[in-house]
Amino acid sequence: MTTATPVLLTVPDVMVTLKVSRTKVYDLIRTHRLASIKVDGCRRIPAEAVQDFVRSRLGEAA
């Protein structure tokens, strides 16, 4: 059995990954700094969107 990296993350997954609050994750989504989709009313964030967000923040810091 293999463990695959999920393509879509939940808000709690992103909270853990970025070490931020639920409010902050929703703020990033609301301000379009973090892409997300709704699946049957549940908010999901593509793992690639989280990676892109981190890369963009690293680019700003340089």
Side-chain angles (χ1 to χ4, degrees), residues 7-62:
V7 175
L8 295 175
L9 304 172
T10 63
V11 170
D13 292 336
V14 176
M15 290 168 55
V16 169
T17 301
L18 297 179
K19 295 180 179 37
V20 297
S21 69
R22 177 183 176 91
T23 302
K24 184 62 178 179
V25 174
Y26 279 108
D27 180 58
L28 292 171
I29 292 168
R30 183 181 54 78
T31 58
H32 304 285
R33 291 184 282 167
L34 187 61
S36 71
I37 61 171
K38 275 194 150 187
V39 178
D40 291 333
C42 298
R43 185 65 60 185
R44 296 292 181 257
I45 300 95
E48 186 175 315
V50 175
Q51 294 168 352
D52 291 344
F53 173 76
V54 171
R55 276 192 289 268
S56 74
R57 299 298 298 168
L58 288 172
E60 291 174 11

